[in-house]
């Protein structure tokens, strides 16, 4: 049965409200008196976002965005962590409106989840043509699924909207209804811009986005039903993607340089530290 216009609006709003209740029930139910936390990351990342806000607004002691007032006199210590500069405006808007740092973090978390839901809903509706109900359910899983909620105290993993924008750009470039001419060039630029924005907003999500798109490209080149579609546009797309890729690399270069410098100081993680963090077979049944 086809849904009327009112239902097509109410259905996603109902899924969105349910997701907020599932993910942030303890926090929202307390009137923001309680914080959903990881005892380390939440405090630390609140401080990281606050440093970015204070740098942007000219607070004393925060004049250098790369050198927050920590580990003095060592410089460049912001790159010891995920800097979240691309996420800071979503936090800073609440600071600008007068919220205290902890409240601004709570509102940032909620806003990030709402944006994730809305972006993925539109991706499913407009690129795959799914129904409002199916798109709402898919967006619910993306924004509020167990694999995300179990990491809710690691706020660097929340703002995922730029990755969805990158997927939508891919759909417009190589999906069923493809852009043409100058519009196609604009979507090439949008794809690279989304990758760069996700990199500035959170390193981990950007890494997984780049890895997933690389795997998808190899897979698309290998399947007969998608190979022709990709190769048909290859001569047009590659020069533009290379050009915008160079500009994107320049945009992300300052961050990469700082991370490389930090790695020289503190060293890279060794394999013994990494292996315990990898999901094993039991993670398919118990996600936390």
């Amino acid at each position: 049965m086809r849904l009327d216009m009112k239902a097509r609006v109410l259905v996603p709003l109902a899924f969105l409200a349910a997701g907020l209740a599932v993910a942030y029930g303890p926090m929202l139910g307390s009137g923001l008196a309680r914080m959903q936390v990881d005892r380390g990351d939440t405090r630390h990342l609140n401080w990281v976002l606050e440093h970015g806000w204070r740098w942007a607004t000219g607070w004393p002691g925060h004049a250098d965005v790369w050198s927050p007032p920590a580990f003095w006199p060592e410089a460049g210590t912001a790159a010891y962590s995920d800097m979240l500069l691309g996420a800071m405006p979503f936090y800073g808007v609440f600071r600008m409106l007068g919220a205290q740092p902890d409240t601004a973090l709570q509102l940032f978390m909620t806003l990030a989840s709402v944006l994730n839901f809305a972006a993925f809903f539109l991706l499913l509706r407009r690129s795959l043509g799914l129904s409002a109900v199916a798109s709402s359910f898919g967006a619910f899983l993306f924004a509020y699924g167990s694999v995300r909620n179990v990491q809710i105290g690691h706020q660097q993993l929340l703002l995922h909207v730029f990755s969805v924008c990158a997927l939508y750009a891919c759909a417009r470039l190589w999906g069923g209804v493809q852009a043409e001419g100058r519009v196609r060039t604009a979507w090439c630029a949008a794809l690279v811009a989304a990758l760069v924005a996700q990199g500035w907003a959170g390193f981990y999500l950007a890494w997984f986005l780049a890895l997933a798109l690389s795997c998808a490209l190899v897979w698309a080149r290998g399947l007969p039903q998608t190979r022709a579609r990709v190769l048909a546009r290859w001569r047009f797309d590659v020069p533009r993607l290379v050009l915008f890729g160079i500009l994107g690399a320049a945009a992300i270069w300052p961050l990469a340089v700082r991370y490389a410098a930090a790695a020289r100081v503190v060293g890279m993680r060794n394999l013994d530290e990494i292996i315990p963090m990898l999901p094993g077979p039991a993670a398919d049944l118990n996600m936390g």
Side-chain angles (χ1 to χ4, degrees), residues 11-35:
V11 165
L13 289 178
F15 273 90
L16 175 60
L20 290 173
V22 167
Y24 299 112
M27 186 176 76
L28 297 177
S30 70
L32 303 184
R34 301 174 67 188
M35 175 78 81

Side-chain angles (χ1 to χ4, degrees), residues 122-176:
L122 293 174
L123 174 70
L124 296 178
R125 284 286 280 167
R126 295 186 177 182
S127 65
L128 297 182
L130 300 184
S131 69
V133 173
S135 299
S136 298
F137 188 69
F140 179 93
L141 291 178
F142 177 76
Y144 304 112
S146 296
V147 291
R148 193 180 299 278
N149 286 346
V150 75
Q151 303 291 345
I152 205 165
H154 304 289
Q155 288 79 7
Q156 73 270 46
L157 302 177
L158 281 180
L159 191 64
H160 217 164
V161 63
F162 298 119
S163 293
V164 183
C165 293
L167 293 179
Y168 187 66
C170 289
R172 292 304 307 269
L173 288 169
W174 303 294

Side-chain angles (χ1 to χ4, degrees), residues 97-250:
L97 293 174
Q100 292 299 309
D102 57 336
T103 304
L105 179 65
Q106 293 169 309
L107 296 174
F108 161 77
M109 293 166 64
T110 308
L111 175 62
S113 294
V114 170
L115 292 174
N116 290 343
F117 179 93
F120 207 76
F121 174 83
L122 293 174
L123 174 70
L124 296 178
R125 284 286 280 167
R126 295 186 177 182
S127 65
L128 297 182
L130 300 184
S131 69
V133 173
S135 299
S136 298
F137 188 69
F140 179 93
L141 291 178
F142 177 76
Y144 304 112
S146 296
V147 291
R148 193 180 299 278
N149 286 346
V150 75
Q151 303 291 345
I152 205 165
H154 304 289
Q155 288 79 7
Q156 73 270 46
L157 302 177
L158 281 180
L159 191 64
H160 217 164
V161 63
F162 298 119
S163 293
V164 183
C165 293
L167 293 179
Y168 187 66
C170 289
R172 292 304 307 269
L173 288 169
W174 303 294
V177 180
Q178 300 180 12
E180 302 289 347
R182 293 182 179 179
V183 175
R184 191 170 186 84
T185 300
W187 281 114
C188 289
L191 171 58
V192 174
L195 283 164
V196 171
Q198 190 65 76
W200 281 100
F203 169 83
Y204 297 103
L205 296 180
W207 166 256
F208 285 118
L209 173 62
L211 178 62
L213 290 181
S214 299
C215 293
L217 177 61
V218 172
W219 191 256
R221 291 291 301 273
L223 292 178
Q225 60 267 38
T226 54
R227 185 189 307 121
R229 182 181 297 172
V230 172
L231 293 179
R233 303 287 182 158
W234 204 243
R235 291 182 180 179
F236 183 92
D237 292 336
V238 167
R240 288 156 180 78
L241 289 173
V242 169
L243 172 61
F244 293 127
I246 292 172
L247 296 176

Side-chain angles (χ1 to χ4, degrees), residues 50-72:
E50 182 66 14
H51 165 65
W53 163 253
R54 295 188 180 199
W55 164 75
T57 52
W59 281 51
H62 297 266
D64 184 357
V65 68
W66 308 108
S67 300
F71 302 110
W72 188 88

